[in-house]
Amino acid sequence: MPGPTELNEDGGDAGSTLESGRGDPRPDGGTTEGAADPWSRSGSALSTVVGRPVLVAVVSVVVAFLTVPVLVTFVSSFARSASGVLPQGFVTFDHWLKVLGFGERGVRTNAIPGLAFSLAIATGGMVLNVVVGVPVAYALARYDFYARNWVNTFAILPLVPGLILGIAFVQTYPEHGRSALGLIAGYCLLKSPYMVLTVQSSFQSMDLVRLEESARSLGASWPRTFLTIIVPHAKRGIVAGCIITWTLAAAEFNFTYMVASGSPDPFAIFLYRNISNATHLQSAAAVSVYFAIVVAAILGLQLLGNRGFSTAQR
Amino acid sequence: MSVRESASASVRRAATLASTTVRPTTERERERRRIAVLCLPFFALALVAGFVPLAMLARISLVEDPIWIEGWSLGAWETLATTAEYRWVAWNTLWFVGLATGVSVALGVAVAHVLEKYDLPGERLVVAAVSFPIALPGIIVAYLIIVLLGRQGLVTNAVAVATGGAPLDLATATAITGLFLGYVYSLLPRATMVLRGTYAEVNTQAEEAARTLGASRWQTFYHVTLPEVRPGIVAAAILTFRSGLAIFGTVLILQSHRVVTLQIHHETSVGSYNPDVAAAIGIVYVVFIVAFTFVGLRFVDDDAVEI
């Protein structure tokens, strides 16, 4: 798409800068003349001259706003002190060791059991998501049925916020709601849209009808066709969905905060404790642990040829 | 009489449908059974983990004794309807999230436009930078805002050095601007994602024609591109607004604006334990989100829907 248009626009840019350099009597994008003849003299219109620089500047600010704090957090987690204008005293691993529970002045107990617990729960939610999400994604991609649109909307829109689900969970299942099982079920429901969308887009790129019919005509039963032909063909989509749901479940805070009982601490609560009452640099290290997980997930997704956390249907 | 007849007829039809689904004889009935079997796990989970807890929430909002969950009363709903504070919280939430949505979608249009129309160096890096924050939960966003605007924050220190002021006075992380930037940090990547999908489908020939006929860039954008991406903008606004309403971690850490999620948290905290009022707020909140999403998406092309 950035082909001929690009050339045209660049040409227009060059012409207009020359013109304004020479001191064109009409100011750029002048109101009276522009209104009288709005579709001509675009070479000197205000948007043609400044549009591109302004937009590029806006996007640069946006990108800086989104990335600079992440980078600073990661870098300063290796700093010794943050008392000055910029963090100083590189490189030390004290904060990382303290966060991971290996520090010599480990005030808090070892963080590894909590981390392992949380990672196990996220894995449980991920497995349950495969069981729940893949069939419904197949039904939505392959069949046209009554109320299909409603099922689709329910499956791909996370309609209940995690906070409300957490409160409702604790009240409904007072004994089991706070257990690992409750957390797994909650994570699975909250993150299932990502699994359904990812697997669905993988199914949509396959010729499902022909695949299914050739397997059936060779004598496979329908359940066997589904389990041994269809599901393995969508393997990449399923793995991508697994990575996304796992990463998002590992740090789901709103639900965990309401539900978790505190022994052992899930990862999200561990992050919360480290952010709300710890030194600045120790928080930086704790947050960086999660950055490391996300970066690993993104690299895994790229290896699979997935575009990242975007779950667009196309 | 006729009502009863039609009711019994529909019951009979549903019974036939159920029995043929369980024990199919024709290929069509077998297909229906397959669809039912495929959808069953999802709806079993949704029932156990979603619908039953929500029904319980509705029940709790109607209890007389909120500690033991007994009896029936409309007390919580009366409190909710008559106390001015709750209306104030609702209004706070709506304007704040609405403003954050507007800013995020406007910036998202700019980012999507630049990514799609311009040939920038490092385009993949820009894409990575704007999609990375989708995986960051609210508490981490709050921490990143503290990194930028807190007492030891980057921007705070830069401004302090430039103006000679004290960083303590300049820190705005726990002021409302800090929270606003936190909301934009969470919402902007989501808006951009939806808009990039829409922009990829814009018909560039019409734009080229407009440019050739002498329209300026702004005129081309306003008269040609904008109408084409308008469904995407509406979809982005709906989905962004919905996710903005659900933000909790950021506001829990920064605590500078009373939005509805923070209010629910207050109602369930130890100091002021009102589970019935919290449940009532929760029901209103969920009903609002669902209604808003469904009504909004009715006006949008189905294909534009993404998470």
Side-chain angles (χ1 to χ4, degrees), chain A residues 1 314, chain B residues 116 195-204 228-229 301 303:
Chain A
M1 285 137 264
R314 276 173 298 275
Chain B
E116 187 64 31
L195 286 164
R196 276 187 65 217
T198 317
Y199 254 98
E201 290 187 1
V202 169
N203 178 9
T204 47
E228 286 204 53
V229 296
D301 188 17
D303 296 343

PDB file of all heavy atoms in Angstrom, chain A residues 1 314, chain B residues 116 195-204 228-229 301 303:
ATOM      1  N   MET A   1       0.794  -1.213   0.000  1.00  0.00           N
ATOM      2  CA  MET A   1       0.000   0.000   0.000  1.00  0.00           C
ATOM      3  C   MET A   1       0.832   1.271   0.000  1.00  0.00           C
ATOM      4  O   MET A   1       0.450   2.272  -0.584  1.00  0.00           O
ATOM      5  CB  MET A   1      -0.975   0.014   1.173  1.00  0.00           C
ATOM      6  CG  MET A   1      -2.130  -0.922   0.936  1.00  0.00           C
ATOM      7  SD  MET A   1      -2.523  -1.873   2.400  1.00  0.00           S
ATOM      8  CE  MET A   1      -1.626  -3.397   2.121  1.00  0.00           C
ATOM      9  N   ARG A 314      -8.584 -11.893  11.690  1.00  0.00           N
ATOM     10  CA  ARG A 314      -7.936 -12.117  10.406  1.00  0.00           C
ATOM     11  C   ARG A 314      -6.440 -12.112  10.596  1.00  0.00           C
ATOM     12  O   ARG A 314      -5.923 -11.319  11.318  1.00  0.00           O
ATOM     13  CB  ARG A 314      -8.311 -11.021   9.422  1.00  0.00           C
ATOM     14  CG  ARG A 314      -9.611 -11.303   8.745  1.00  0.00           C
ATOM     15  CD  ARG A 314      -9.999 -10.115   7.922  1.00  0.00           C
ATOM     16  NE  ARG A 314     -10.186  -8.960   8.777  1.00  0.00           N
ATOM     17  CZ  ARG A 314     -11.298  -8.697   9.402  1.00  0.00           C
ATOM     18  NH1 ARG A 314     -12.316  -9.492   9.262  1.00  0.00           N
ATOM     19  NH2 ARG A 314     -11.419  -7.645  10.166  1.00  0.00           N
TER      20      ARG A 314
ATOM     21  N   GLU B 116       0.192   2.320   8.842  1.00  0.00           N
ATOM     22  CA  GLU B 116      -0.330   1.801   7.584  1.00  0.00           C
ATOM     23  C   GLU B 116       0.103   2.639   6.384  1.00  0.00           C
ATOM     24  O   GLU B 116       0.403   2.104   5.331  1.00  0.00           O
ATOM     25  CB  GLU B 116      -1.864   1.751   7.672  1.00  0.00           C
ATOM     26  CG  GLU B 116      -2.545   1.076   6.518  1.00  0.00           C
ATOM     27  CD  GLU B 116      -2.195  -0.399   6.415  1.00  0.00           C
ATOM     28  OE1 GLU B 116      -1.938  -1.032   7.466  1.00  0.00           O
ATOM     29  OE2 GLU B 116      -2.156  -0.903   5.286  1.00  0.00           O
ATOM     30  N   LEU B 195      -7.897  -0.789  15.556  1.00  0.00           N
ATOM     31  CA  LEU B 195      -7.825   0.150  14.436  1.00  0.00           C
ATOM     32  C   LEU B 195      -6.866  -0.323  13.358  1.00  0.00           C
ATOM     33  O   LEU B 195      -7.087  -0.070  12.174  1.00  0.00           O
ATOM     34  CB  LEU B 195      -7.406   1.525  14.955  1.00  0.00           C
ATOM     35  CG  LEU B 195      -8.529   2.227  15.705  1.00  0.00           C
ATOM     36  CD1 LEU B 195      -7.995   3.370  16.520  1.00  0.00           C
ATOM     37  CD2 LEU B 195      -9.568   2.732  14.714  1.00  0.00           C
ATOM     38  N   ARG B 196      -5.807  -1.016  13.754  1.00  0.00           N
ATOM     39  CA  ARG B 196      -4.882  -1.521  12.733  1.00  0.00           C
ATOM     40  C   ARG B 196      -5.593  -2.518  11.834  1.00  0.00           C
ATOM     41  O   ARG B 196      -5.385  -2.528  10.624  1.00  0.00           O
ATOM     42  CB  ARG B 196      -3.674  -2.182  13.393  1.00  0.00           C
ATOM     43  CG  ARG B 196      -2.606  -1.197  13.786  1.00  0.00           C
ATOM     44  CD  ARG B 196      -1.381  -1.918  14.268  1.00  0.00           C
ATOM     45  NE  ARG B 196      -0.775  -2.699  13.213  1.00  0.00           N
ATOM     46  CZ  ARG B 196      -0.205  -3.878  13.394  1.00  0.00           C
ATOM     47  NH1 ARG B 196      -0.178  -4.424  14.581  1.00  0.00           N
ATOM     48  NH2 ARG B 196       0.337  -4.513  12.390  1.00  0.00           N
ATOM     49  N   GLY B 197      -6.441  -3.372  12.433  1.00  0.00           N
ATOM     50  CA  GLY B 197      -7.200  -4.322  11.629  1.00  0.00           C
ATOM     51  C   GLY B 197      -8.097  -3.605  10.635  1.00  0.00           C
ATOM     52  O   GLY B 197      -8.220  -4.018   9.471  1.00  0.00           O
ATOM     53  N   THR B 198      -8.728  -2.498  11.076  1.00  0.00           N
ATOM     54  CA  THR B 198      -9.611  -1.757  10.175  1.00  0.00           C
ATOM     55  C   THR B 198      -8.812  -1.071   9.081  1.00  0.00           C
ATOM     56  O   THR B 198      -9.199  -1.086   7.917  1.00  0.00           O
ATOM     57  CB  THR B 198     -10.377  -0.687  10.971  1.00  0.00           C
ATOM     58  OG1 THR B 198     -10.803  -1.261  12.183  1.00  0.00           O
ATOM     59  CG2 THR B 198     -11.547  -0.186  10.187  1.00  0.00           C
ATOM     60  N   TYR B 199      -7.693  -0.460   9.461  1.00  0.00           N
ATOM     61  CA  TYR B 199      -6.888   0.282   8.493  1.00  0.00           C
ATOM     62  C   TYR B 199      -6.358  -0.625   7.395  1.00  0.00           C
ATOM     63  O   TYR B 199      -6.192  -0.204   6.253  1.00  0.00           O
ATOM     64  CB  TYR B 199      -5.724   0.974   9.205  1.00  0.00           C
ATOM     65  CG  TYR B 199      -5.913   2.462   9.335  1.00  0.00           C
ATOM     66  CD1 TYR B 199      -6.394   3.019  10.499  1.00  0.00           C
ATOM     67  CD2 TYR B 199      -5.644   3.298   8.271  1.00  0.00           C
ATOM     68  CE1 TYR B 199      -6.594   4.374  10.617  1.00  0.00           C
ATOM     69  CE2 TYR B 199      -5.835   4.660   8.370  1.00  0.00           C
ATOM     70  CZ  TYR B 199      -6.306   5.194   9.549  1.00  0.00           C
ATOM     71  OH  TYR B 199      -6.503   6.532   9.643  1.00  0.00           O
ATOM     72  N   ALA B 200      -6.093  -1.881   7.739  1.00  0.00           N
ATOM     73  CA  ALA B 200      -5.538  -2.794   6.737  1.00  0.00           C
ATOM     74  C   ALA B 200      -6.526  -3.018   5.601  1.00  0.00           C
ATOM     75  O   ALA B 200      -6.133  -3.467   4.528  1.00  0.00           O
ATOM     76  CB  ALA B 200      -5.180  -4.117   7.403  1.00  0.00           C
ATOM     77  N   GLU B 201      -7.809  -2.699   5.827  1.00  0.00           N
ATOM     78  CA  GLU B 201      -8.809  -2.975   4.806  1.00  0.00           C
ATOM     79  C   GLU B 201      -9.267  -1.736   4.053  1.00  0.00           C
ATOM     80  O   GLU B 201     -10.162  -1.814   3.218  1.00  0.00           O
ATOM     81  CB  GLU B 201     -10.024  -3.639   5.446  1.00  0.00           C
ATOM     82  CG  GLU B 201      -9.691  -5.024   5.887  1.00  0.00           C
ATOM     83  CD  GLU B 201     -10.896  -5.767   6.363  1.00  0.00           C
ATOM     84  OE1 GLU B 201     -11.992  -5.182   6.325  1.00  0.00           O
ATOM     85  OE2 GLU B 201     -10.731  -6.908   6.774  1.00  0.00           O
ATOM     86  N   VAL B 202      -8.663  -0.594   4.359  1.00  0.00           N
ATOM     87  CA  VAL B 202      -9.086   0.634   3.684  1.00  0.00           C
ATOM     88  C   VAL B 202      -8.708   0.554   2.207  1.00  0.00           C
ATOM     89  O   VAL B 202      -7.630   0.081   1.839  1.00  0.00           O
ATOM     90  CB  VAL B 202      -8.421   1.849   4.357  1.00  0.00           C
ATOM     91  CG1 VAL B 202      -8.609   3.096   3.521  1.00  0.00           C
ATOM     92  CG2 VAL B 202      -8.986   2.049   5.732  1.00  0.00           C
ATOM     93  N   ASN B 203      -9.628   1.014   1.377  1.00  0.00           N
ATOM     94  CA  ASN B 203      -9.399   1.017  -0.067  1.00  0.00           C
ATOM     95  C   ASN B 203      -8.483   2.183  -0.430  1.00  0.00           C
ATOM     96  O   ASN B 203      -8.891   3.341  -0.388  1.00  0.00           O
ATOM     97  CB  ASN B 203     -10.759   1.139  -0.768  1.00  0.00           C
ATOM     98  CG  ASN B 203     -10.607   1.187  -2.261  1.00  0.00           C
ATOM     99  OD1 ASN B 203      -9.520   0.959  -2.782  1.00  0.00           O
ATOM    100  ND2 ASN B 203     -11.697   1.478  -2.942  1.00  0.00           N
ATOM    101  N   THR B 204      -7.235   1.881  -0.769  1.00  0.00           N
ATOM    102  CA  THR B 204      -6.272   2.968  -0.994  1.00  0.00           C
ATOM    103  C   THR B 204      -6.496   3.662  -2.334  1.00  0.00           C
ATOM    104  O   THR B 204      -6.037   4.781  -2.520  1.00  0.00           O
ATOM    105  CB  THR B 204      -4.838   2.428  -0.952  1.00  0.00           C
ATOM    106  OG1 THR B 204      -4.779   1.263  -1.758  1.00  0.00           O
ATOM    107  CG2 THR B 204      -4.428   2.106   0.448  1.00  0.00           C
ATOM    108  N   GLU B 228     -14.253   5.507   5.923  1.00  0.00           N
ATOM    109  CA  GLU B 228     -13.984   4.076   5.783  1.00  0.00           C
ATOM    110  C   GLU B 228     -13.598   3.423   7.100  1.00  0.00           C
ATOM    111  O   GLU B 228     -13.901   2.255   7.331  1.00  0.00           O
ATOM    112  CB  GLU B 228     -12.879   3.850   4.748  1.00  0.00           C
ATOM    113  CG  GLU B 228     -13.363   4.064   3.337  1.00  0.00           C
ATOM    114  CD  GLU B 228     -12.503   3.315   2.338  1.00  0.00           C
ATOM    115  OE1 GLU B 228     -12.319   2.099   2.532  1.00  0.00           O
ATOM    116  OE2 GLU B 228     -12.019   3.940   1.399  1.00  0.00           O
ATOM    117  N   VAL B 229     -12.870   4.150   7.959  1.00  0.00           N
ATOM    118  CA  VAL B 229     -12.448   3.537   9.221  1.00  0.00           C
ATOM    119  C   VAL B 229     -13.436   3.821  10.355  1.00  0.00           C
ATOM    120  O   VAL B 229     -13.212   3.378  11.476  1.00  0.00           O
ATOM    121  CB  VAL B 229     -11.036   3.994   9.660  1.00  0.00           C
ATOM    122  CG1 VAL B 229      -9.993   3.548   8.675  1.00  0.00           C
ATOM    123  CG2 VAL B 229     -10.973   5.482   9.875  1.00  0.00           C
ATOM    124  N   ASP B 301     -20.114  -3.302  12.366  1.00  0.00           N
ATOM    125  CA  ASP B 301     -19.898  -4.492  11.583  1.00  0.00           C
ATOM    126  C   ASP B 301     -19.344  -5.594  12.488  1.00  0.00           C
ATOM    127  O   ASP B 301     -18.440  -5.367  13.270  1.00  0.00           O
ATOM    128  CB  ASP B 301     -18.865  -4.137  10.498  1.00  0.00           C
ATOM    129  CG  ASP B 301     -18.716  -5.247   9.514  1.00  0.00           C
ATOM    130  OD1 ASP B 301     -19.603  -6.110   9.482  1.00  0.00           O
ATOM    131  OD2 ASP B 301     -17.724  -5.241   8.774  1.00  0.00           O
ATOM    132  N   ASP B 303     -17.482  -8.066  11.910  1.00  0.00           N
ATOM    133  CA  ASP B 303     -16.106  -8.508  11.677  1.00  0.00           C
ATOM    134  C   ASP B 303     -15.090  -7.669  12.428  1.00  0.00           C
ATOM    135  O   ASP B 303     -13.956  -8.081  12.619  1.00  0.00           O
ATOM    136  CB  ASP B 303     -15.779  -8.436  10.175  1.00  0.00           C
ATOM    137  CG  ASP B 303     -16.651  -9.391   9.392  1.00  0.00           C
ATOM    138  OD1 ASP B 303     -17.223 -10.285  10.045  1.00  0.00           O
ATOM    139  OD2 ASP B 303     -16.758  -9.242   8.178  1.00  0.00           O
TER     140      ASP B 303
END
